[in-house]
Every structure is written in structure tokens, then in C-alpha cells.
Amino acid sequence: MSEEAAGRTPPAADLSAPLRRNAPLVPTDGSASRALAAVIAILTFLAALCAGAAEIVASSAVQWQGAVANEVTIQIRPSPGRDPEADATAAAALAREAPGIAETRTLSKTESERLLEPWLGTGLDLGDLPVPRLITVRLAGSPAADLPALRRRLTEALPGVASLDDHALWISRLSTMANTFVGIGVGVVALVLLATGLAVTFATRGAMAGNREVVEVLHFVGADDDFIAREFQRRFFRLGLRGGAIGAGAALAALALAAGLARLWRASPAGDEIEALFGGFEIGWRGYASVVLIGVVASIVTGIVSRVTVRRFLD
């Protein structure tokens, strides 16, 4: 070996490779991260189901209100010395003459008595009871029916016998019920998102405590709080996005399965009752959009809450 080679200083060893941190600051594949993603997925699933159910009730209520608002009922009360059949015929004729009336149908005495079976049961002899006769009147879209004028004509022609029910009370009750259910659904979604934020808060604090030495080293080499907060926000946003996607996808699958089962049961008596209550059990594009939106909001809440928690922890 030459003197020049012997006197040459050997190159410094590359110390950066052993000190390089190959793992992210906030790991997303650990058991704690997977547990948090599962919690977010479950909460998102519950919130999405509540949103889908609220949308089904809201759309069904609109269908109910439309069906009830397009029809009114004339009631003929039996009166001593009067012929209910003749009174019903006269009332139906007055209704047909009124503008805006598309169709009238007089229910027979048997049909009127059958309407009382849900409350009185079957097998009862109602022949001696003064069961009112009913006339269903379907309204035309145009011209609009003048219901107050029709009510006055019925009162003048058949005083104390005929009355017109426009179902305003039932429409008001349906609207109140639907709004109450939708409000409950919104409240449940808000509570679920709040629970998601609390879970992310505790998870972020645990991650900060577990990576305290790393955070101190980052501060020592000049990293500011914004850099550390962005790292946590990015990692927890990915966790929230993963959990939100899984939860929203499961909710969409559950709603689609329920709609498919409702279509299969539609031909049965139970299916008829389900369709009468919930329509076709279709949530429409607004329902699907709300489910997807909840998944996105869950991930956004996860990222924001983690950033705020980190900043408070560092301060």
C-alpha cells in the first residue's frame, strides 16, 4: 500500500440509513389503528342507516300526503225519517256537478261496515247501528276544486246529514310525524358523529403519548407544530376515510337488500302492508347521496378532530 493511500482518511460511514425512520409518524396498520377504523365504520354504518330510514319516511310521507290530499270524503249520517240511500245519491250528484271533481264513488253499506272491522273486530252485526255512508271524491288536477263551496252546497241541500272531510287533520298529523322522525334521524346522526369525534380524540391522545419521543426529536430538529399536526391529520383522515367507506358501503348494501326483500314480499299480504307504510322502500338518489355524504363527513371529522387534538396537546 502506498504512503498516499495509507495516509488518506477513510470516508465517513453513512449514518443516515440506520437513523432513517421507515415507518410513518402515526402508523395506520397497527392493531389500535385497525380498531379505530372498525369503530368509525360501525358508527358510520349506524348513522347512514338512520339517514336512509329518515329519507324513506320523508318520501313515504310525501306520497301519503299526495294521496290523501287528492281525495276528500263525504259522510252521510243516518237520520230518522230519511233514506240514507237517497241522501247518498243526492250528495254524489252534487259532488259530480262541482268543478274540479274527477270521480265520485259511493261505498255500499257493507263496505262502510267493513271499514270498522280494524276497531270493532269481525263477526259483529252492525245492521242495527247507524253506520254512516261514505262517498269518496277524487279531485282533478285542473281546475282546482272549490271545497268550501261544495261544503256549503252539501250543507244547504242536506242539512245535518252531509258533511265534507278534506283530511286536513290527517295531512297535518302525517307531516308532523314525518318531520319528527326526520328530526330524530338528524339528531341520531349528529350524536354518532359526535361519538366519532370523541373516539378520534382519545385515539389521537394515545398516539401522541406513544410517539412522545418522536415528537420531541422532531421539535429538536426544527419541526414546528403545524408539521406534526398535519402528519397526524393526514394519517387519521386516511383511517376515517377507510372506516367511512366501509360503513357507508355496508349501509348501502343493507338498504339495497331491504329494497330487494320488499320487492319479493310485495305480492304477499305482509308485503302489501310494508308497501302501504313505506312505499316501494326506495330511498332515491337523495338517500344514497346522504349515505355517501355521511361517510365523507366522518372522514373529515376524523381529520379535523385529530388536528385540533394534536395542537392542544402540543400547546
Side-chain angles (χ1 to χ4, degrees):
M1 182 182 296
S2 63
E3 296 180 359
E4 182 181 357
R8 185 182 302 169
T9 303
D14 186 8
L15 300 178
S16 60
L19 297 178
R20 185 179 296 120
R21 182 180 176 86
N22 296 322
L25 179 61
V26 186
T28 58
D29 295 329
S31 58
S33 299
R34 288 193 295 268
L36 179 61
V39 170
I40 294 174
I42 294 173
L43 294 176
T44 304
F45 175 74
L46 296 176
L49 282 186
C50 290
E55 177 60 27
I56 290 174
V57 171
S59 60
S60 299
V62 172
Q63 297 176 5
W64 294 335
Q65 293 174 13
V68 173
N70 288 333
E71 199 173 76
V72 297
T73 304
I74 299 175
Q75 180 177 263
I76 305 297
R77 291 181 294 273
S79 181
R82 300 186 66 93
D83 184 6
E85 296 291 338
D87 291 339
T89 302
L94 288 174
R96 282 192 293 267
E97 296 172 358
I101 302 300
E103 182 184 358
T104 62
R105 177 176 176 269
T106 303
L107 274 66
S108 65
K109 188 174 185 298
T110 303
E111 291 175 323
S112 299
E113 292 175 353
R114 192 177 297 121
L115 294 176
L116 299 176
E117 290 182 356
W119 288 270
L120 301 180
T122 59
L124 295 177
D125 185 11
L126 303 178
D128 297 333
L129 296 179
V131 179
R133 299 295 302 278
L134 299 178
I135 303 171
T136 60
V137 180
R138 187 165 59 86
L139 305 180
S142 179
D146 190 355
L147 296 182
L150 178 58
R151 183 180 285 108
R152 287 194 300 269
R153 292 182 63 186
L154 290 172
T155 303
E156 294 171 358
L158 302 169
V161 176
S163 61
L164 179 67
D165 183 8
D166 58 0
H167 307 153
L169 178 61
W170 288 104
I171 293 176
S172 176
R173 289 179 177 177
L174 282 175
S175 178
T176 301
M177 181 197 69
N179 293 335
T180 301
F181 195 91
V182 171
I184 292 174
V186 172
V188 170
V189 171
L191 289 176
V192 170
L193 293 177
L194 177 61
T196 303
L198 292 176
V200 173
T201 299
F202 288 114
T204 305
R205 288 183 174 273
M208 288 291 295
N211 291 271
R212 183 183 296 273
E213 294 82 2
V214 177
V215 173
E216 292 177 354
V217 171
L218 289 174
H219 277 152
F220 181 76
V221 298
D224 56 4
D225 292 346
D226 286 336
F227 172 80
I228 300 174
R230 282 195 303 269
E231 285 292 319
F232 275 86
Q233 181 180 12
R234 186 180 301 113
R235 297 297 178 179
F236 277 98
F237 177 77
R238 292 178 181 176
L239 285 175
L241 192 61
R242 183 194 307 173
I246 295 174
L252 291 175
L255 292 172
L257 178 61
L261 293 177
R263 284 192 294 269
L264 291 177
W265 294 339
R266 190 168 297 173
S268 64
D272 293 338
E273 295 179 2
I274 293 175
E275 187 174 5
L277 288 174
F278 302 104
F281 214 87
E282 298 289 342
I283 63 175
W285 68 269
R286 291 192 308 175
Y288 290 112
S290 64
V291 171
V292 175
L293 180 62
I294 287 175
V296 175
V297 170
S299 60
I300 294 176
V301 168
T302 302
I304 293 176
V305 170
S306 64
R307 183 181 181 88
V308 173
T309 304
V310 170
R311 292 305 302 263
R312 291 184 176 179
F313 186 89
L314 296 177
D315 290 342

